[in-house]
């Protein structure tokens, strides 16, 4: 009997080759891995996460040789972005080949490809020598896991192994950019700030947030309004000073604020207001607030630049009512 959590890369690679599910550390969040070329294994990923089939998966690679097999057209902007940011928290959506099944892409003609930067993830991908699907290793709609313990807590009974690479250093998911010929569209803000992407390829369009209902097919389901959500209701406020509640309530703060005293539980993400540090702590902090026995969580929007854009995106999807 092997233990559920460990750092045995050879074992993890063998399990993946055998069609099993292996959660693995990446620099962003933990992924729920399966052989992308094995439709039964991919189907088990959807089942384990309770993920709707209209939400396509990211394919992880460690070696660019896979691009020839998985991608039918590789636009120049994809080349430039991948040369600059891979391995790293950037996912590129490009036209797929027939090798990529419709189950992986939810029937879309494009596939999302990412080369993660975490050394253990890269070692796993090299040893298994297969493309690996990897949605975040959490039940659909819930908070993303940034440690092996988070994965074990919510998905432990559904998966075969968790490759433990310690806490995730980036803490929010990869930035997802769709490249269609010469056009680039931001599908999800994430670990690489938009400013850095635009510095490489020029202007990127940022679509208005979709308000598509989860039951309807969405163009990019990661943009569903309610996602990444704690169980405790979360409300976004302009400031913390005027919150009055007879119950025990919690607050999520970028920097420490004097009003923190009135809350039963407070999570401060960065003493210095550093958005990169805040991103690394974000999901774990929300998880602790969710477990603190408070009736509500209050949070303020982050400055909307750098990683603040990804943080605001996750915060608004965690909120009971998305802010405008
Ligand atoms: O950082 C990450 O990207 C993590 C780690 C584990 O690599 N993975 C992750 O996967 O966040 P997931 O499945 O939670 O998010 C994938 C996002 C979803 O929003 C999905 O809708 C979008 O990528 N996506 C995938 N393929 C797509 C496609 N062909 N067209 C449009 N959106 C796509
Ligand atoms: Mg996810």
């Amino acid at each position: 009997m092997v233990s559920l959590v460990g750092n045995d890369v050879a074992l993890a690679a063998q399990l993946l080759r055998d069609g099993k599910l292996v959660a693995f550390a990446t620099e962003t969040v933990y992924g729920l891995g399966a052989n992308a070329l094995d439709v039964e294994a991919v189907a088990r990923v959807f089942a384990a996460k309770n993920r709707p089939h209209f939400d396509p998966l990211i394919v992880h690679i460690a070696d660019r040789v896979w691009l020839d097999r998985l991608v039918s057209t590789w636009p120049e902007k994809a080349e430039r972005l991948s040369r600059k940011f891979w391995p790293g928290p950037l996912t590129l959506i490009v036209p797929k080949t027939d090798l990529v099944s419709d189950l992986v892409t939810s029937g879309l003609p494009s596939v999302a490809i990412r080369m993660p930067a975490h050394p253990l993830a890269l070692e796993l991908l090299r040893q298994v020598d297969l493309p690996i699907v990897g949605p975040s290793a959490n039940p659909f709609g819930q908070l993303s896991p940034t440690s092996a313990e988070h994965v074990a807590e919510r998905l432990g009974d559904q998966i075969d192994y968790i490759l433990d690479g310690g806490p995730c250093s980036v803490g929010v998911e990869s930035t997802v950019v769709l490249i269609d010929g010469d056009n680039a569209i931001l599908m999800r803000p994430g670990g690489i700030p938009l400013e850095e992407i635009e510095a490489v390829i020029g202007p990127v369009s940022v679509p208005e947030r979709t308000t598509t209902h989860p039951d309807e097919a969405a163009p990019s389901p990661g943009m569903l309004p309610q996602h990444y959500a704690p169980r405790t209701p979360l409300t976004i406020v302009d400031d913390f000073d005027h919150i009055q509640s007879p119950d025990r309530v919690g607050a999520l703060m970028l920097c420490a604020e004097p009003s923190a005293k009135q809350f039963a539980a407070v999570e401060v993400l960065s003493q210095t207001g550093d958005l990169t540090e805040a991103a690394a702590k974000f999901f774990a902090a929300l998880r602790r607030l969710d477990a603190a026995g408070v009736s509500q969580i209050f949070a303020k929007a982050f400055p909307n630049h750098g990683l603040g854009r990804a943080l605001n995106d996750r915060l608004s999807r965690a909120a009971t009512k998305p802010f405008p």
Side-chain angles (χ1 to χ4, degrees):
M1 174 79 193
V2 290
S3 62
L4 179 67
V5 183
N7 52 19
D8 187 340
V9 178
L11 170 68
Q14 188 55 52
L15 289 167
L16 286 170
R17 269 186 236 110
D18 292 343
K20 309 279 197 221
L21 303 188
V22 173
F24 61 102
T26 84
E27 75 282 21
T28 57
V29 302
Y30 276 67
L32 178 53
N35 178 359
L37 305 182
D38 175 343
V39 282
E40 282 171 33
V42 174
R44 279 199 279 280
V45 169
F46 281 97
K49 276 185 64 90
N50 200 15
R51 179 172 173 125
H53 283 272
F54 62 69
D55 196 356
L57 303 176
I58 295 176
V59 175
H60 296 70
I61 59 172
D63 193 326
R64 300 176 73 91
V65 297
W66 280 105
L67 292 177
D68 278 347
R69 294 174 223 169
L70 303 171
V71 175
S72 64
T73 315
W74 186 241
E76 209 248 317
K77 284 184 175 168
E79 175 67 12
R80 277 178 19 222
L81 288 175
S82 64
R83 291 285 173 199
K84 172 81 181 174
F85 297 114
W86 281 0
L90 173 69
T91 296
L92 295 171
I93 299 179
V94 288
K96 77 175 189 76
T97 63
D98 289 343
L99 187 63
V100 183
S101 76
D102 285 341
L103 187 57
V104 169
T105 67
S106 302
L108 294 169
S110 56
V111 61
I113 311 261
R114 156 159 146 79
M115 190 184 289
H118 195 295
L120 216 54
L122 284 173
E123 185 53 34
L124 174 66
L125 290 165
R126 282 192 200 107
Q127 284 198 26
V128 73
D129 198 23
L130 288 167
I132 297 295
V133 292
S136 50
N138 53 277
F140 183 71
Q142 296 188 16
L143 296 173
S144 299
T146 52
S147 73
E149 294 72 43
H150 295 165
V151 180
E153 239 170 65
R154 300 277 167 92
L155 279 184
D157 53 349
Q158 309 271 347
I159 58 186
D160 299 288
Y161 193 61
I162 303 172
L163 189 60
D164 186 356
C168 301
S169 59
V170 175
V172 289
E173 294 84 347
S174 60
T175 303
V176 180
V177 180
L178 184 147
I179 311 282
D180 177 17
D182 202 37
N183 294 328
I185 304 170
L186 181 72
M187 303 303 277
R188 177 177 73 182
I192 305 271
L194 180 62
E195 296 89 331
E196 290 186 28
I197 290 176
E198 293 192 319
V200 176
I201 56 164
V204 171
S205 23
V206 181
E208 296 256 330
R209 174 161 305 158
T210 158
T211 51
T212 309
H213 187 272
D215 290 337
E216 297 165 18
S220 189
M223 301 181 81
L224 293 174
Q226 188 95 34
H227 211 79
Y228 312 108
R231 290 164 177 165
T232 313
L234 184 146
T235 306
I236 296 163
V237 292
D238 291 333
D239 71 83
F240 294 115
D241 298 341
H242 303 106
I243 293 169
Q244 287 190 336
S245 170
D247 306 335
R248 287 165 48 85
V249 296
L252 180 72
M253 300 181 172
L254 176 58
C255 321
E257 301 201 21
S259 56
K261 288 197 291 292
Q262 63 176 310
F263 296 102
V266 173
E267 290 287 340
V268 173
L269 296 177
S270 167
Q271 291 296 346
T272 58
D274 180 65
L275 292 168
T276 303
E277 183 187 358
K281 296 182 176 166
F282 177 75
F283 280 121
L286 263 184
R287 223 170 257 269
R288 283 191 295 270
L289 285 172
D290 209 12
V294 293
S295 63
Q296 267 206 81
I297 302 167
F298 294 96
K300 237 162 61 171
F302 298 90
N304 205 36
H305 57 79
L307 289 190
R309 195 184 292 270
L311 285 168
N312 283 333
D313 173 78
R314 305 306 185 269
L315 193 61
S316 70
R317 289 173 211 285
T320 322
K321 283 195 222 97
F323 60 93

